[in-house]
Amino acid sequence: MRLHLVDGTYELYRAHYSPRPGTTAPDGRDVKATAGVMDSLLALLHDEQEAVTHVAVAFDNPIRSFRNALFAGYKGDEGVPPELRAQFDLVEEAVAALGVRVWSMKDQEADDALATAAARWAGEVEQVRLLTPDKDLGQCVRGQRVVQVDRRQQKVMDAEGVKAKLGVEPWSVPDLLALMGDDADGIPGLPGFGAKGASAVLQAYGHLEAIPDSAAEWTVKVRGADKLAATLKAHREDARLYRTLATLVEDAPLPGTASLADLEWKGVPEARFKAFCEGLGLKSLQRRPKRWAA
């Protein structure tokens, strides 16, 4: 068995901004992003190499989460195009019409759902595959049992892959993002800390608390070490807050899911899927499924 965990919000945005032609429903609604997500998920479900047996898709709905109460600068829903926002509920209906479990996250984020499921069921499946390129999911990777998959780049990262890409072990990823920041989530990081310097320090110390205040005590050579050490000493509380923002929750509620069996994909429910496609005028998509639910 394999457990595929998909960042639905990433897929929705990717479909919206993709060069694929626009799609309009009979009632005039823009449904390009929804159609794109359905097309992408059907490709995943049909992929013999991915060999999907159990799957779930998580969405941020709304975008804001408990992290916005912790830090005003954290990512919000400002600037979301209205035609995209209008599809937040619709895309969840679309994924359910594929026979795939949907996790609509309210106070937590889609990434928290993925992290929770990976922690909960990694021991019950051959492999957990986290389908998202987001750096913060690197913290969930465990050996080759939990891996991160970037479908667009066709890359799979195990623990060694995370270290090669980010320069730190998976368990240091929140500390790394705290120091260098993460523009995608509105985490500013500390002044002067770039990816190279932050990863070098964390290779030596692992976590923020273990980094000495004085650069003279550092066992690793980093350009501008004195200034970086002074910055960290002055802003340790900020760094801890940023790490909290970057640390994914592993006990988030997973709507409609009591056990791994609830995530088994048994095929596309034909009547429901075709009715949904008919309502949005997606005639060509109706012929795409290769496996119908019994």
Side-chain angles (χ1 to χ4, degrees):
M1 294 190 300
R2 275 179 156 186
L3 176 56
H4 286 75
L5 301 171
V6 182
D7 181 347
T9 300
Y10 166 75
E11 291 284 342
L12 184 66
Y13 273 71
R14 183 164 74 103
H16 177 74
Y17 290 107
S18 74
R20 64 184 288 125
T23 305
T24 304
D27 60 7
R29 285 181 295 169
D30 182 335
V31 294
K32 173 187 173 182
T34 297
V37 170
M38 296 176 77
D39 188 58
S40 176
L41 287 178
L42 281 169
L44 171 67
L45 296 170
H46 294 157
D47 191 328
E48 293 183 0
Q49 290 187 325
E50 286 296 338
V52 175
T53 62
H54 295 69
V55 59
V57 181
F59 291 95
D60 300 315
N61 190 2
I63 296 294
R64 298 177 69 85
S65 71
F66 74 93
R67 292 178 176 87
N68 293 94
L70 298 177
F71 180 61
Y74 194 72
K75 69 176 182 181
D77 52 4
E78 300 82 4
V80 178
E83 67 274 18
L84 180 59
R85 185 193 298 272
Q87 295 178 69
F88 280 13
D89 291 337
L90 181 67
V91 73
E92 293 182 1
E93 295 177 34
V95 174
L98 291 170
V100 173
R101 178 67 59 183
V102 174
W103 293 327
S104 183
M105 307 306 290
K106 306 301 181 187
D107 296 321
Q108 282 87 15
E109 298 178 41
D111 288 353
D112 295 315
L114 271 55
T116 296
R120 186 174 299 176
W121 290 303
E124 298 183 38
V125 295
E126 175 189 345
Q127 190 178 70
V128 176
R129 295 172 72 81
L130 302 165
L131 277 63
T132 173
D134 289 357
K135 291 190 292 290
D136 55 355
L137 264 297
Q139 67 191 270
C140 301
V141 173
R142 298 291 181 268
Q144 294 186 349
R145 177 57 66 90
V146 181
V147 299
Q148 190 171 359
V149 181
D150 184 337
R151 295 175 66 203
R152 188 171 62 85
Q153 297 288 339
Q154 296 186 322
K155 293 182 178 179
V156 179
M157 286 198 306
D158 58 10
E160 288 299 316
V162 170
K163 187 174 182 180
K165 180 179 180 179
L166 299 180
V168 298
E169 300 288 350
W171 44 268
S172 289
V173 168
D175 299 81
L176 177 69
L177 298 178
L179 292 178
M180 64 178 274
D182 186 357
D183 291 341
D185 286 339
I187 300 175
L190 299 189
F193 276 95
K196 188 174 181 179
S199 63
V201 173
L202 288 169
Q203 278 184 44
Y205 296 106
H207 292 302
L208 298 173
E209 291 78 6
I211 304 173
D213 283 339
S214 172
E217 299 178 46
W218 287 11
T219 59
V220 59
K221 294 187 181 299
V222 180
R223 173 182 281 186
D226 288 337
K227 187 174 182 180
L228 292 178
T231 296
L232 178 57
K233 181 179 179 180
H235 298 283
R236 277 192 185 271
E237 288 306 311
D238 290 336
R240 290 191 181 98
L241 171 60
Y242 301 155
R243 182 177 60 187
T244 296
L245 298 176
T247 300
L248 299 179
V249 171
E250 293 188 345
D251 61 353
L254 303 177
T257 309
S259 69
L260 181 63
D262 294 324
L263 306 183
E264 182 180 1
W265 186 65
K266 300 178 181 179
V268 178
E270 186 171 6
R272 180 177 182 180
F273 174 78
K274 289 185 174 180
F276 184 85
C277 288
E278 191 68 31
L280 295 188
L282 305 176
K283 296 187 181 300
S284 62
L285 202 62
Q286 291 188 46
R287 300 186 293 272
R288 284 284 311 282
K290 297 178 181 179
R291 177 183 168 190
W292 299 107

